[in-house]
């Protein structure tokens, strides 16, 4: 039986995450792979500081990196491990500003987006940049912290004063400002396999925020966008969230390098863990 590593975050503990890990481990076992779960805070003792003195007893066949610890992913790659997803792809997904930059001018429709200027203080002394942005985006406007999950760091503001108050509340966190896609209010599609998410009480469609899900067959354009996004961001697998434009055309919302697939299974009956392991096994053989 081959050995592989499942890298997870040692400080993130919940039944929701543990269930995902167990599905991945079971899918690996069915493919004759011993997938060992290793928290990121325990890997420093495993990887020696002096590469010339490494004596691997069980060098993993691959590393399934189910975390956002980009520096650790890069270190594993420097040690010569095959990491899925790679550090570059994880980093691009974990930073919404970087996602936008990487996909800009790539024929992938996104909301109009502005990146907040860098400040060395925790609070802006001047909001001239906001006046310039609102002239292009208008209100309501979406403010997103660059790093966040489950829609919890995404805010809808309806005026200049609301925007200023929200930016002050965000504090030192970097953020982007985006056009509000009214035609997709409370509704989007997550494509891993496909699931439509609808929230009648919130502009965000996330299940965590009260959204409901139903099985969905993506259009050819939506499926192609998901593929193009993964290719441009150098991802092996991902959850690609797509909104509906005015004419029903796909508009990219965001990308998750390690999307939670429990809801996808409950909705569609598709076990994404099996597909991920099949892909990795094939990639290694190739």
């Amino acid at each position: 039986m081959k050995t592989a590593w499942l890298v997870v975050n040692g400080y993130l503990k919940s039944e929701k995450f543990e269930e995902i890990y167990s599905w991945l481990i079971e899918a690996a076992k069915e493919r004759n792979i011993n997938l060992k779960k290793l928290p990121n805070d325990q890997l420093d003792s495993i990887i020696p500081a002096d590469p010339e003195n490494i004596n691997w007893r069980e060098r993993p066949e691959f590393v399934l990196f189910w975390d956002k610890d980009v520096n650790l992913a890069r270190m594993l790659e420097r040690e010569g491990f095959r990491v899925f997803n790679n550090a570059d792809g994880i980093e691009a997904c974990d930073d919404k500003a970087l996602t936008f930059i990487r996909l800009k001018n790539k024929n992938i429709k996104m909301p109009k987006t502005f990146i907040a200027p860098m400040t060395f203080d925790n609070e802006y002394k001047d909001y001239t940049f906001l006046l310039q942005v609102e002239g292009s985006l208008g209100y309501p406007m979406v403010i997103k912290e660059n790093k966040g999950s489950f829609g919890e760091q995404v805010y809808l503001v309806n005026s200049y004063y609301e925007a200023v108050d929200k930016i002050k509340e965000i504090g030192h966190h970097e953020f982007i400002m985006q056009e509000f896609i009214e035609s997709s209010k409370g509704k989007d599609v997550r494509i891993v396999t496909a699931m439509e998410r609808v929230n009648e009480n919130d502009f965000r469609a996330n299940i965590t925020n009260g959204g409901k899900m139903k099985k969905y067959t993506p259009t050819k354009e939506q499926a192609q966008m998901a593929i193009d996004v993964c290719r441009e961001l150098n991802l092996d697998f991902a959850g690609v969230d797509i909104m509906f434009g005015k004419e029903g055309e796909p508009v990219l919302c965001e990308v998750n390098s390690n999307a939670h697939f429990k809801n996808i299974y409950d909705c569609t009956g598709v076990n994404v863990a099996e597909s991920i392991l099949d892909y990795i096994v094939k990639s290694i053989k190739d």
Side-chain angles (χ1 to χ4, degrees):
M1 179 174 283
K2 297 178 180 179
T3 298
W5 291 352
L6 172 63
V7 176
V8 304
N9 193 283
Y11 304 96
L12 197 59
K13 303 181 187 296
S14 74
E15 288 186 12
K16 184 174 183 178
F17 286 97
E18 290 299 328
E19 188 171 23
I20 293 292
Y21 306 153
S22 65
W23 284 18
L24 291 167
I25 290 169
E26 182 60 30
K29 184 177 180 181
E30 291 172 357
R31 288 151 182 80
N32 201 36
I33 298 169
N34 177 25
L35 187 61
K36 298 173 62 175
K37 186 178 76 171
L38 291 173
N40 66 328
D41 58 335
Q42 295 180 18
L43 273 171
D44 277 343
S45 61
I46 294 177
I47 302 175
D50 183 358
E52 294 183 0
N53 293 327
I54 293 177
N55 182 19
W56 294 106
R57 293 182 179 179
E58 280 190 332
R59 185 178 181 91
E61 190 79 10
F62 62 86
V63 176
L64 178 51
F65 204 90
W66 213 261
D67 192 21
K68 297 182 179 181
D69 192 339
V70 175
N71 287 333
L72 176 58
R74 291 197 191 286
M75 186 166 67
L76 290 169
E77 288 174 347
R78 293 288 289 184
E79 293 294 342
F81 299 150
R82 182 75 183 274
V83 181
F84 299 87
N85 277 300
N86 61 76
D88 188 55
I90 295 169
E91 182 179 41
C93 291
D94 191 38
D95 187 320
K96 293 178 176 62
L98 189 55
T99 303
F100 171 72
I101 291 168
R102 291 276 297 273
L103 296 177
K104 187 175 173 59
N105 301 325
K106 295 294 184 180
N107 199 32
I108 293 169
K109 186 168 184 177
M110 297 181 284
K112 293 179 185 176
T113 301
F114 293 86
I115 300 171
M118 177 183 176
T119 174
F120 288 100
D121 299 318
N122 286 341
E123 185 175 327
Y124 288 98
K125 302 293 193 295
D126 186 326
Y127 289 88
T128 302
F129 73 91
L130 182 57
L131 293 172
Q132 295 171 335
V133 169
E134 71 178 23
S136 177
L137 299 184
Y139 293 102
M141 175 197 301
V142 176
I143 294 178
K144 293 182 180 180
E145 295 181 34
N146 285 6
K147 297 189 176 183
S149 301
F150 307 113
E152 294 178 359
Q153 290 78 27
V154 179
Y155 318 100
L156 190 67
V157 295
N158 295 288
S159 69
Y160 170 83
Y161 298 103
E162 276 190 35
V164 169
D165 288 343
K166 182 56 65 177
I167 292 169
K168 288 181 178 179
E169 182 183 319
I170 289 172
H172 66 279
H173 298 289
E174 297 177 333
F175 62 94
I176 60 174
M177 295 155 285
Q178 285 190 324
E179 167 192 12
F180 176 52
I181 307 298
E182 176 71 36
S183 54
S184 198
K185 181 179 180 180
K187 180 174 69 172
D188 71 9
V189 175
R190 167 159 289 184
I191 297 185
V192 179
T193 181
M195 170 181 74
E196 183 178 15
R197 307 184 299 182
V198 179
N199 193 331
E200 297 177 355
N201 302 308
D202 199 305
F203 77 99
R204 300 164 297 182
N206 305 70
I207 305 302
T208 305
N209 297 314
K212 297 180 180 179
M213 55 190 178
K214 61 182 180 179
K215 194 170 183 179
Y216 179 84
T217 301
T219 65
K220 181 180 178 181
E221 292 76 18
Q222 289 169 336
Q224 189 60 53
M225 173 177 279
I227 292 169
D228 291 344
V229 164
C230 289
R231 183 180 294 117
E232 293 294 342
L233 296 183
N234 195 21
L235 293 163
D236 295 296
F237 45 82
V240 182
D241 297 343
I242 296 175
M243 298 182 290
F244 297 87
K246 288 183 180 180
E247 305 300 325
E249 75 278 11
V251 180
L252 181 67
C253 179
E254 61 181 58
V255 191
N256 300 275
S257 62
N258 49 1
H260 287 265
F261 49 76
K262 172 64 164 59
N263 289 333
I264 293 170
Y265 178 79
D266 291 341
C267 180
T268 68
V270 175
N271 186 343
V272 176
E274 295 179 348
S275 298
I276 289 173
L277 267 298
D278 283 339
Y279 171 86
I280 291 175
V281 170
K282 184 178 184 301
S283 297
I284 290 174
K285 285 182 179 179
D286 291 343

